[in-house]
Amino acid sequence: GQNIDQPTEMTATEGAIVQINCTYQTSGFNGLFWYQQHAGEAPTFLSYNVLDGLEEKGRFSSFLSRSKGYSYLLLKELQMKDSASYLCAFMDSNYQLIWGAGTKLIIKP
Amino acid sequence: DTGVSQDPRHKITKRGQNVTFRCDPISEHNRLYWYRQTLGQGPEFLTYFQNEAQLEKSRLLSDRFSAERPKGSFSTLEIQRTEQGDSAMYLCASSLEYGTRPYEQYFGPGTRLTVT
């Protein structure tokens, strides 16, 4: 079967670093996506990993371990505007995105 | 820069009525997806098109839902005989089949449906 799991909610302090984990199980895999979604808005693309390792893009980095079925999103120098839900999704063998429920990130001053 | 657009942004309807939503994808994108999202959940796949062909439809989608993409450009999603459980945000996304980031999906702003 297929499943994907991420924490429901996390809290962090402005200026700090936070890591959001995602674990998944699937027989067919074509990459792991992270999206950001502010309340009431559509998801926006953050990162895509298809090979093992770390992809860095400014304050955001994403890591993938295919053998462990594990990914994380690392956010550095947190800003208040980073308060949002972060959605993890993997692409299955039919090239469909299977989504997690999202991690609500709360940033405190 | 024209992204994905959806119309209407909000729709309130009475139970039993039919509703139709429209999605205009990014012009060069040949793949178009429909999702449904409820509060606190990730998007749930409904269906997707490659050009004008509907290639996959979720097994969870009842016969009350139908989607079309007649000319491989815009798409419509119709819900017949709406039920209160249909209340959700309906998201449309589009992507390219090929390129440096194939299958990266760009989302529209969504249509929020409320069934009373």
Side-chain angles (χ1 to χ4, degrees):
Chain A
Q2 297 177 323
N3 64 73
I4 184 166
D5 193 39
Q6 54 183 127
T8 302
E9 186 174 297
M10 298 182 70
T11 302
T13 305
E14 189 178 15
I17 299 172
V18 70
Q19 177 175 310
I20 304 174
N21 297 324
C22 172
T23 57
Y24 64 90
Q25 285 184 312
T26 179
S27 55
F29 179 80
N30 283 296
L32 193 290
F33 291 80
W34 284 95
Y35 278 78
Q36 181 190 59
Q37 187 174 29
H38 285 100
E41 298 182 8
T44 55
F45 171 82
L46 288 177
S47 68
Y48 170 65
N49 295 65
V50 67
L51 300 176
D52 289 352
L54 188 69
E55 293 270 347
E56 297 184 79
K57 189 190 295 185
R59 295 189 299 114
F60 293 4
S61 302
S62 57
F63 172 83
L64 175 66
S65 169
R66 289 172 297 171
S67 62
K68 296 182 179 178
Y70 168 69
S71 173
Y72 68 72
L73 180 69
L74 191 71
L75 293 77
K76 303 176 184 176
E77 302 168 14
L78 286 169
Q79 302 175 9
M80 297 303 293
K81 67 178 182 179
D82 297 330
S83 292
S85 285
Y86 291 84
L87 297 161
C88 171
F90 68 82
M91 184 166 280
D92 69 10
S93 55
N94 294 319
Y95 296 98
Q96 297 308 311
L97 284 177
I98 309 301
W99 297 82
T103 298
K104 183 178 180 180
L105 178 63
I106 299 168
I107 310 295
K108 295 186 175 180
Chain B
D1 178 22
T2 55
V4 180
S5 62
Q6 293 186 244
D7 183 69
R9 295 292 306 277
H10 303 274
K11 179 70 177 179
I12 300 174
T13 190
K14 292 185 177 179
R15 188 179 54 180
Q17 298 294 305
N18 298 345
V19 294
T20 300
F21 309 142
R22 175 178 170 127
C23 170
D24 287 86
I26 294 172
S27 58
E28 62 267 28
H29 285 185
N30 62 333
R31 289 194 168 199
L32 186 148
Y33 305 80
W34 285 100
Y35 294 93
R36 176 172 60 191
Q37 187 177 26
T38 54
L39 197 62
Q41 298 299 313
E44 174 192 11
F45 169 78
L46 296 179
T47 188
Y48 96 94
F49 293 84
Q50 182 159 307
N51 300 311
E52 65 275 10
Q54 187 173 18
L55 295 189
E56 192 164 340
K57 187 175 177 180
S58 169
R59 291 175 290 123
L60 302 175
L61 208 60
S62 80
D63 292 341
R64 297 184 298 106
F65 288 72
S66 63
E68 293 183 343
R69 194 182 184 196
K71 297 181 180 179
S73 56
F74 73 92
S75 175
T76 57
L77 177 69
E78 181 182 17
I79 309 174
Q80 297 181 326
R81 305 181 302 282
T82 51
E83 301 172 357
Q84 287 187 321
D86 296 332
S87 295
M89 176 75 87
Y90 289 83
L91 294 166
C92 175
S94 69
S95 71
L96 285 166
E97 185 180 0
Y98 303 105
T100 55
R101 292 195 180 276
Y103 314 115
E104 178 184 327
Q105 297 182 18
Y106 293 81
F107 283 82
T111 295
R112 182 167 295 283
L113 173 66
T114 302
V115 182
T116 61

